[in-house]
């Protein structure tokens, strides 16, 4: 029979559940039963306070007494009966937590009131910065958890309930986020994109914005926000105020500029971040679903397989040189109905020749499957070798659709390559890791790869 531990950490401080010490608060058979609850409480409330209460009971938490404040005899009995307390480990949430300096600077510079001279109280700045820092962590953990849930397949997980549990348990900073999962989701959605302004109470409303009414005033602010130099809000406020002083407008603060930037975010985003970022991060993405039958939609792309192989060549002086960080390229033709690889071809690097061989392999396999050659209804590809390959794509499909240049979300084959990398390549000793663009921290030990590089397969073995 297993027993719960009498130990629990609170804010990294070791505590003991009071019920394990008292005679009348724990029917647990392994309780030490050293003292009555009334006597223990009196000792903690006395001026001497020989024992220190670490946490009061309530809100689904048990009352704790600081382990270090206990008499040595009690400590020895606890360790003898229940074993030594385990060292605290950082939670997954705690590992990703970082103090948001930008949030602190934002709330420090925030001004409100009729004359725009009032500052936020120190406690409010501390509170809002803590809330922003925890929300940043929540959004990061949410993406990791969504990826993990996808690996579970059909298992249903209430992701917002799990995130709510994490936030409620995280007390490294005194945040004031909602305990309820639905309220937390609403708060996170309002905040997404570091909208610090949404964390500020309405009682600290910035009335300065009403000073900017005329079209000319708004046009000047919008023009400065659109500049490709990505001016910060304080700099824009300085430029605006220098103009305002000449024409009789009221001066504004960086906060007024931030409010306008938030309101016109969709309009100014391309100027500040580029059209590609606008398409990938801001514009509505079409929700695609899988085709209803095979042969309706094929996609083709190349992937530098994450497996190192060694290759020996001659340099300009005729000396043999062996390199160990070479990777083969595989071009796959994928039927997206069920992610079936209809055809493929392998080469040492991507080129139009290997793409043609992959398409030929796909057509031959179709004949193997159905007894005759059939073409798909639609083929999608990237723009590699567009001039030479477009006539072939058009000949092999009813509709040919090249992916839009710079649209990272256009190609549905990328998750397929990621699955191959994780399911098959990662198991092999010459695995080179996940691509840098993935941001994954689970990369192989480079030092060990260097030691075993001589065992890497050569070109022929790798294929």
């Amino acid at each position: 029979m297993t027993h719960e531990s009498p130990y629990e950490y609170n804010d990294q401080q070791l505590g003991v559940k009071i019920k394990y010490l008292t005679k009348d608060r724990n029917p647990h058979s392994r309780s030490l039963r050293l003292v009555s609850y009334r006597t223990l409480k009196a000792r903690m409330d006395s001026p001497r306070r020989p024992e220190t209460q670490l946490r009061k009971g309530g809100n689904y938490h048990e009352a704790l007494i600081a382990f270090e404040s206990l008499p040595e005899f009690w400590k020895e009995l606890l360790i003898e009966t229940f074993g030594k307390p385990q060292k605290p480990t950082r939670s997954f949430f705690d590992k990703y937590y970082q103090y948001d300096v930008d949030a602190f600077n934002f709330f420090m510079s925030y001004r409100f009131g009729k004359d725009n001279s009032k500052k936020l109280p120190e406690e409010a700045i501390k509170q809002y910065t803590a809330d922003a820092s925890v929300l940043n962590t929540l959004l990061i953990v949410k993406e990791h958890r969504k990826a993990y849930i996808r690996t579970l397949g059909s298992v249903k997980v209430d992701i917002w309930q799990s995130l709510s549990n994490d936030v409620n348990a995280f007390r490294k900073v005194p945040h004031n986020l909602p305990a309820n999962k639905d309220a937390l989701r609403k708060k996170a959605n309002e905040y997404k994109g570091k909208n610090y302004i949404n964390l500020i109470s309405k009682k600290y409303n910035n009335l300065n914005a009403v000073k900017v009414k005329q079209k000319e005033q708004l046009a000047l602010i919008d023009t400065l926000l659109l500049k490709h130099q990505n001016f910060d809000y304080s700099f824009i406020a300085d430029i605006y105020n220098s103009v305002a002083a000449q024409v009789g407008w009221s001066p504004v603060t960086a906060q007024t500029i931030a409010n306008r930037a938030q309101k016109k975010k969709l309009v100014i985003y391309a100027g500040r971040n580029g059209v590609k970022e606008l398409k990938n991060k801001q514009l509505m993405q079409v929700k695609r679903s899988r085709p209803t039958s095979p042969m309706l939609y094929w996609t083709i792309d190349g992937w530098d397989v994450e497996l190192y192989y060694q290759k020996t060549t001659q340099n300009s002086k005729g000396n043999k040189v062996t390199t160990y960080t070479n990777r083969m390229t595989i071009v796959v033709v994928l039927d997206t109905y069920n992610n079936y690889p209809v055809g493929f071809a392998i080469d040492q690097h991507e080129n139009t020749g290997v793409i043609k061989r992959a398409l030929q392999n796909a057509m031959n396999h179709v004949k193997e499957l159905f007894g005759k050659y059939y073409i798909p209804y639609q083929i999608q590809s990237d723009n590699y070798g567009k001039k030479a390959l477009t006539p072939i794509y058009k000949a092999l499909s009813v509709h040919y659709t090249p992916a839009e240049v710079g649209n990272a979300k256009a190609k549905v084959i990328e998750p397929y390559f990621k699955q191959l990398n994780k399911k098959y390549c990662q198991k092999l000793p010459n695995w080179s890791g996940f691509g840098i663009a993935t941001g994954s921290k689970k990369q192989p030990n480079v030092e060990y790869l260097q030691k075993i590089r001589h065992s890497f397969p050569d070109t022929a073995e790798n294929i």
Side-chain angles (χ1 to χ4, degrees):
M1 180 179 177
T2 58
H3 301 275
E4 65 169 319
S5 172
Y7 309 113
E8 186 177 331
Y9 282 89
N10 186 65
D11 291 334
Q12 300 296 307
Q13 203 170 349
L14 178 62
V16 177
K17 296 170 187 174
I18 289 179
K19 68 181 184 180
Y20 279 84
L21 303 173
T22 61
K23 296 176 181 178
D24 47 3
R25 286 295 176 108
N26 188 10
H28 199 291
S29 60
R30 298 182 75 197
S31 171
L32 296 182
R33 306 173 71 81
L34 294 169
V35 65
S36 70
Y37 177 76
R38 177 179 291 182
T39 303
L40 182 59
K41 189 175 187 306
R43 287 166 65 93
M44 290 189 294
D45 292 341
S46 71
R48 287 180 56 249
R49 292 183 182 172
E51 288 81 45
T52 305
Q53 186 162 359
L54 193 59
R55 183 181 69 198
K56 293 183 178 180
N59 294 327
Y60 305 102
H61 295 298
E62 295 187 46
L64 294 179
I65 188 168
F67 180 81
E68 287 302 320
S69 70
L70 296 177
E72 289 301 320
F73 174 63
W74 290 15
K75 292 182 191 176
E76 291 172 5
L77 281 175
L78 278 166
I79 292 173
E80 183 180 332
T81 308
F82 302 103
K84 288 185 178 181
Q86 299 295 315
K87 294 282 186 182
T89 56
R90 293 176 69 196
S91 67
F92 184 74
F93 197 93
D94 190 17
K95 288 177 183 177
Y96 283 93
Y97 174 80
Q98 282 190 338
Y99 182 80
D100 191 340
V101 178
D102 291 338
F104 174 77
N105 293 334
F106 178 90
F107 297 125
M108 281 289 291
S109 63
Y110 182 85
R111 299 293 182 269
F112 65 100
K114 290 184 179 180
D115 58 354
N116 224 29
S117 61
K118 292 184 178 180
K119 300 179 181 179
L120 288 173
E122 187 176 331
E123 282 303 310
I125 293 172
K126 184 178 179 181
Q127 184 67 71
Y128 296 149
T129 303
D131 291 349
S133 301
V134 175
L135 282 170
N136 294 340
T137 309
L138 179 145
L139 295 173
I140 294 171
V141 171
K142 176 173 174 275
E143 293 307 310
H144 282 279
R145 194 150 298 168
K146 283 168 63 177
Y148 173 69
I149 291 171
R150 282 195 292 268
T151 66
L152 299 179
S154 60
V155 177
K156 291 186 177 180
V157 177
D158 188 339
I159 189 169
W160 278 102
Q161 184 59 61
S162 70
L163 290 169
S164 178
N165 294 341
D166 283 345
V167 169
N168 290 332
F170 183 72
R171 292 297 163 189
K172 184 174 183 176
V173 294
H175 65 80
N176 194 32
L177 297 178
N180 176 272
K181 68 168 185 176
D182 295 324
L184 181 65
R185 184 199 296 123
K186 182 180 178 183
K187 192 81 171 178
N189 288 335
E190 289 173 351
Y191 172 78
K192 189 179 290 186
K194 293 194 174 183
N195 295 327
Y196 301 131
I197 190 72
N198 290 340
L199 298 178
I200 298 176
S201 170
K202 290 182 179 179
K203 66 182 179 181
Y204 302 127
N205 276 344
N206 189 337
L207 302 178
N208 182 251
V210 299
K211 296 181 180 180
V212 182
K213 289 183 178 179
Q214 300 178 28
K215 290 182 180 179
E216 293 83 358
Q217 292 173 278
L218 296 174
L220 175 58
I221 293 174
D222 291 349
T223 300
L224 293 170
L225 285 170
L226 276 164
K227 289 293 184 181
H228 66 280
Q229 294 97 319
N230 229 327
F231 297 138
D232 65 40
Y233 300 148
S234 296
F235 184 71
I236 292 175
D238 290 341
I239 297 176
Y240 177 91
N241 290 336
S242 65
V243 175
Q246 301 296 320
V247 297
W249 295 341
S250 299
V252 298
T253 65
Q255 182 56 51
T256 302
I257 306 299
N259 293 344
R260 181 64 179 174
Q262 183 59 38
K263 186 175 182 180
K264 303 292 288 184
K265 188 174 184 178
L266 193 62
V267 177
I268 69 172
Y269 198 91
R272 295 175 75 84
N273 301 280
V275 175
K276 290 181 181 179
E277 283 293 300
L278 176 70
K279 291 177 179 178
N280 288 326
K281 298 289 180 65
Q282 296 297 321
L283 297 183
M284 176 63 72
Q285 303 296 317
V286 177
K287 302 291 185 181
R288 293 181 290 194
S289 56
R290 288 186 183 276
T292 54
S293 299
M295 300 295 292
L296 287 179
Y297 181 65
W298 286 3
T299 182
I300 181 170
D301 199 9
W303 173 45
D304 291 333
V305 182
E306 305 288 354
L307 293 173
Y308 286 139
Y309 71 95
Q310 57 177 300
K311 181 171 66 174
T312 302
T313 56
Q314 282 189 340
N315 60 18
S316 57
K317 296 181 180 179
N319 299 322
K320 289 186 177 181
V321 178
T322 302
T323 53
Y324 300 93
T325 56
N326 309 286
R327 293 187 296 159
M328 288 287 189
T329 294
I330 182 171
V331 175
V332 176
V333 182
L334 194 72
D335 190 313
T336 58
Y337 168 69
N338 57 356
N339 278 3
Y340 181 79
V342 186
F344 72 95
I346 300 172
D347 210 324
Q348 294 188 19
H349 56 83
E350 189 169 13
N351 54 73
T352 55
V354 71
I355 294 173
K356 290 176 183 178
R357 294 203 308 275
L359 289 167
Q360 184 178 21
N361 182 258
M363 298 310 297
N364 290 336
H365 187 51
V366 167
K367 186 178 180 182
E368 291 175 356
L369 292 172
F370 305 121
K372 292 183 179 180
Y373 287 111
Y374 292 96
I375 62 172
Y377 182 74
Q378 183 180 6
I379 288 182
Q380 180 212 48
S381 76
D382 58 19
N383 287 271
Y384 183 88
K386 185 176 180 180
K387 187 174 181 181
L389 295 172
T390 295
I392 299 174
Y393 290 137
K394 288 184 175 180
L396 294 180
S397 62
V398 179
H399 297 285
Y400 167 56
T401 311
E404 186 177 7
V405 177
N407 186 349
K409 297 182 180 180
K411 296 186 288 185
V412 297
I413 198 172
E414 297 294 347
Y416 172 76
F417 289 143
K418 183 178 179 180
Q419 181 187 11
L420 291 182
N421 191 21
K422 193 168 186 178
K423 190 173 181 180
Y424 300 104
C425 298
Q426 191 174 6
K427 298 176 182 178
L428 300 174
N430 58 323
W431 179 60
S432 63
F434 296 108
I436 295 174
T438 65
S440 175
K441 295 181 179 179
K442 295 182 178 179
Q443 302 288 29
N445 184 332
V446 178
E447 184 180 338
Y448 188 75
L449 284 175
Q450 182 72 8
K451 288 181 179 179
I452 65 170
R453 68 187 187 280
H454 296 289
S455 66
F456 289 171
D458 60 20
T459 306
E461 292 171 333
N462 196 51
I463 293 176

